Amino acid sequence: MAIPASVRPMLASAEALATKQDWDGAIATYEKVLAQVPNEPYTLVQLSYMYSLRGNYRRAEEFALAAARTGTTDEKILTELLPRLRTFNRGPELLACIERAGPPARMSIPLLIAAGAQLSYLNLPERAIDYLDEARRADPDYPTTLLARTQILTYLGRFDEAGQDVERAIRRAPEIAQGYWLRSGLRRQTAERNHIDAIRRELTRPGRTADDIALLSFALHKELDDLQRYDEAWHALMQACRAKRSRLNYDGRRMKQLFDVLSTFEPGEATGADTGPTPIFIVGMHRSGTTLLEQMLAGHPEVAALGELYDFTSGMRYATGHHCKGVIDATLVERAHGVDLSVAGQRYLDGVQWRLGGSRYFTDKLPSNFLNIGFIASALPRAKILHMVRDPVATCFSNLRELFSDANPYSYDLGELADYYGWYAELMKHWHARFAGRILDVEYARLLTEPETQLRRVAEFCGLSFDPAMLEFDSRRRGVVTASAVQVRSGVVIRDAPKWAPYQQWLAPLLCLNR
């Protein structure tokens, strides 16, 4: 639908108000446009953005769904609408929009890349790669396609192909920092075969942004660590963390307030649905072994392994009417008082139904759902909660070395990371006391050394029979859309000394966690 020239000045005014972060003014102006041009998809998408920024989850979702119902095939609009639908975890509607855009061969490269990204975010890398394959056929040398394809191929465990694509991308566009970071993680570097000099040259390229420095320095740390050049590796890691931390708006005091309000929140009695499929939540700190446990459970014939889902977060946002940044915030917790949490639970179960294929059990391994345990216990009486427990120093050091997107902003400073771990540990004690019997701790170290014994415990807790296929996780071919995509396919590694041991002299804030 073409936008009439008569309303374009009004649209320009709305966009100017949005630039000034005058959400109410922008909303009022966009709604005037909509009154004159009903069901205009671009305006509907913009209203969805504005209501999200205003914090109104339900209205934001309504406008995104209204835009999808227009049936638009305008590629520019779809590149904005797809991430909107994924924000609300509206998988079927998102898939319908992609299908409506036509077969991949008729889609533009930008839309193919956008479709691949959103399918990946929905934990559907097997579908995402089809669109990126088509984008590569259309232009075999386009660096953006090659880098996007590298990431998805890594999730799928197709490391040789990923290596070929990233090498091609770096040759074509050596200035793109992401390529060096993606390449560093695909294999263990050796003294004879590494990219340390190339990465250091790129760090000196004029005009490097903080994001570039973070990507390159994390890559440099990884390669130096592989070569056991630990002093240099530590300095590269600290440079990476400083650069990434400079881009994040993280306030430790506000985070502590969130933990405090969670520890005093008293959800009502469980009122959620007591029928239907059984969710198995795998929670804990990031890098605590949640991917390994899910990969093991994926071998059970009755379990659908769904990866990291944000559907419960969506359910809570809908129930409280609040659109927060991240999994949860203090405002959402306050609004949850008096809310019927069964609404969140039913919305969660309805929202994942399209993924299940009739399975009686399914896993949701978003680690930070440990923050939501109080709500999960009330909203989903049948839910099983598995809490991965790993050595605090090993967990935190693994977080420190990982470049997340904008998640986990506490993980780039030793002091902030140690504080966060302490708050997490105290909150888990609170949840165990408040919901005795609802949470099973699974020790990462014991899962490595005695997997059958631990998986029998896990299966019994979840109401499953033990199946020997759970032990054959090394042969699993499912896509793994997490930072552990490479490691989880490398088999179990039991170290003589912890990974952090060569860096011990610099880790005083973390070593205190073991006391």
Side-chain angles (χ1 to χ4, degrees):
M1 180 188 297
I3 298 175
S6 60
V7 300
R8 287 177 187 166
M10 215 182 308
L11 275 176
S13 175
E15 289 161 3
L17 290 165
T19 300
K20 296 176 183 176
Q21 299 187 10
D22 181 354
W23 314 130
D24 290 336
I27 286 169
T29 308
Y30 278 124
E31 288 185 338
K32 287 179 183 177
V33 174
L34 201 61
Q36 294 192 32
V37 192
N39 294 319
E40 198 288 303
Y42 173 81
T43 307
L44 292 168
V45 171
Q46 300 315 307
L47 278 165
S48 177
Y49 276 119
M50 294 304 103
Y51 273 108
S52 281
L53 292 165
R54 187 71 178 80
N56 190 324
Y57 185 85
R58 293 191 180 191
R59 290 290 281 161
E61 182 184 48
E62 287 169 7
F63 280 110
L65 293 174
R69 286 194 298 270
T70 66
T72 182
T73 56
D74 184 296
E75 293 203 348
K76 290 184 179 179
I77 294 173
L78 285 174
T79 56
E80 290 196 65
L81 177 56
L82 296 181
R84 281 280 80 201
L85 293 169
R86 194 260 306 172
T87 292
F88 306 105
N89 291 292
R90 302 300 299 228
E93 290 84 356
L94 190 156
L95 294 173
C97 282
I98 293 175
E99 289 293 321
R100 191 167 60 242
R106 293 215 306 263
M107 295 165 66
S108 69
I109 289 177
L111 186 56
L112 288 166
I113 293 172
Q118 299 312 317
L119 290 167
S120 173
Y121 291 137
L122 284 178
N123 293 313
L124 299 173
E126 296 85 356
R127 296 194 193 186
I129 197 63
D130 291 339
Y131 291 88
L132 296 175
D133 284 349
E134 181 58 40
R136 190 177 188 273
R137 277 191 288 272
D139 184 348
D141 291 319
Y142 185 44
T144 304
T145 298
L146 293 169
L147 293 174
R149 197 166 178 271
T150 298
Q151 185 71 80
I152 303 304
L153 290 169
T154 301
Y155 292 152
L156 293 171
R158 293 161 57 180
F159 302 130
D160 288 344
E161 293 174 78
Q164 293 167 13
D165 272 12
V166 75
E167 291 289 356
R168 191 167 190 161
I170 290 171
R171 284 196 300 271
R172 293 288 297 177
E175 72 279 4
I176 300 179
Q178 184 190 18
Y180 301 88
W181 176 68
L182 289 171
R183 182 172 64 178
S184 70
L186 287 173
R187 64 172 178 82
R188 186 174 182 83
Q189 312 300 316
T190 65
E192 297 74 29
R193 187 181 172 203
N194 64 76
H195 316 97
I196 289 170
D197 291 340
I199 296 169
R200 283 181 162 153
R201 280 196 305 272
E202 286 304 318
L203 277 165
T204 66
R205 184 186 288 267
R208 282 296 183 196
T209 66
D211 287 334
D212 289 342
I213 292 169
L215 285 160
L216 290 164
S217 298
F218 272 109
L220 183 59
H221 164 74
K222 163 64 169 61
E223 300 212 4
L224 288 166
D225 179 81
D226 284 349
L227 272 57
Q228 300 181 13
R229 291 161 58 174
Y230 297 122
D231 284 358
E232 296 170 84
W234 177 256
H235 291 300
L237 178 58
M238 289 297 96
Q239 178 172 265
C241 287
R242 285 192 299 271
K244 181 65 176 179
R245 180 66 181 84
S246 73
R247 298 281 290 112
L248 299 171
N249 182 22
Y250 175 70
D251 185 340
R253 292 170 299 179
R254 292 184 65 183
M255 183 61 72
K256 178 63 163 61
Q257 290 169 1
L258 172 60
F259 279 89
D260 288 343
V261 297
L262 282 170
S263 66
T264 58
F265 181 81
E266 285 294 330
E269 293 301 313
T271 59
D274 200 22
T275 58
T278 299
I280 302 173
F281 288 89
I282 304 174
V283 305
M285 285 285 289
H286 282 269
R287 314 297 296 159
S288 62
T290 56
T291 300
L292 174 64
L293 180 56
E294 184 185 52
Q295 194 78 336
M296 290 174 162
L297 284 168
H300 198 288
E302 294 186 66
V303 177
L306 303 187
E308 295 186 357
L309 305 180
Y310 287 85
D311 293 71
F312 191 78
T313 289
S314 290
M316 287 301 300
R317 289 173 177 176
Y318 182 84
T320 60
H322 175 58
H323 197 149
C324 62
K325 185 176 182 180
V327 171
I328 194 172
D329 69 4
T331 300
L332 187 147
V333 179
E334 292 299 329
R335 289 196 181 189
H337 287 281
V339 166
D340 181 359
L341 294 180
S342 68
V343 172
Q346 192 60 54
R347 184 176 170 86
Y348 174 76
L349 293 174
D350 292 344
V352 301
Q353 193 64 43
W354 66 276
R355 299 176 179 269
L356 298 183
S359 297
R360 294 176 52 231
Y361 293 81
F362 66 93
T363 58
D364 180 342
K365 67 145 298 263
L366 183 67
S368 49
N369 265 330
F370 78 83
L371 295 163
N372 278 320
I373 285 176
F375 304 125
I376 290 169
S378 181
L380 295 162
R382 292 168 60 86
K384 308 299 180 181
I385 303 170
L386 305 175
H387 171 223
M388 286 301 303
V389 180
R390 187 183 180 192
D391 170 71
V393 181
T395 302
C396 289
F397 183 64
S398 189
N399 273 267
L400 190 71
R401 299 182 69 226
E402 189 62 51
L403 176 58
F404 298 99
S405 55
D406 284 343
N408 309 340
Y410 53 82
S411 66
Y412 303 102
D413 177 273
L414 285 165
E416 291 173 341
L417 179 54
D419 286 343
Y420 187 92
Y421 186 93
W423 302 332
Y424 142 79
E426 288 301 312
L427 184 62
M428 286 309 306
K429 289 179 185 177
H430 169 74
W431 292 143
H432 271 295
R434 175 67 179 78
F435 302 106
R438 290 293 308 269
I439 306 165
L440 178 70
D441 283 349
V442 181
E443 294 183 28
Y444 177 71
R446 296 183 69 187
L447 193 62
L448 295 182
T449 56
E450 46 187 78
E452 182 172 343
T453 300
Q454 295 308 307
L455 287 174
R456 287 184 180 278
R457 284 181 66 236
V458 167
E460 181 180 7
F461 177 79
C462 293
L464 292 162
S465 59
F466 173 75
D467 192 299
M470 297 163 72
L471 296 169
E472 299 169 5
F473 62 94
D474 285 353
S475 62
R476 214 79 77 225
R477 291 292 176 262
R478 57 182 288 269
V480 179
V481 187
T482 76
S484 304
V486 175
Q487 291 165 292
V488 79
R489 291 185 175 87
S490 302
V492 170
V493 177
I494 301 175
R495 302 179 184 278
D496 294 331
K499 183 68 179 174
W500 54 263
Y503 300 93
Q504 182 170 345
Q505 62 178 304
W506 297 291
L507 299 180
L510 303 184
L511 296 174
C512 295
L513 296 171
N514 275 339
R515 294 174 187 166

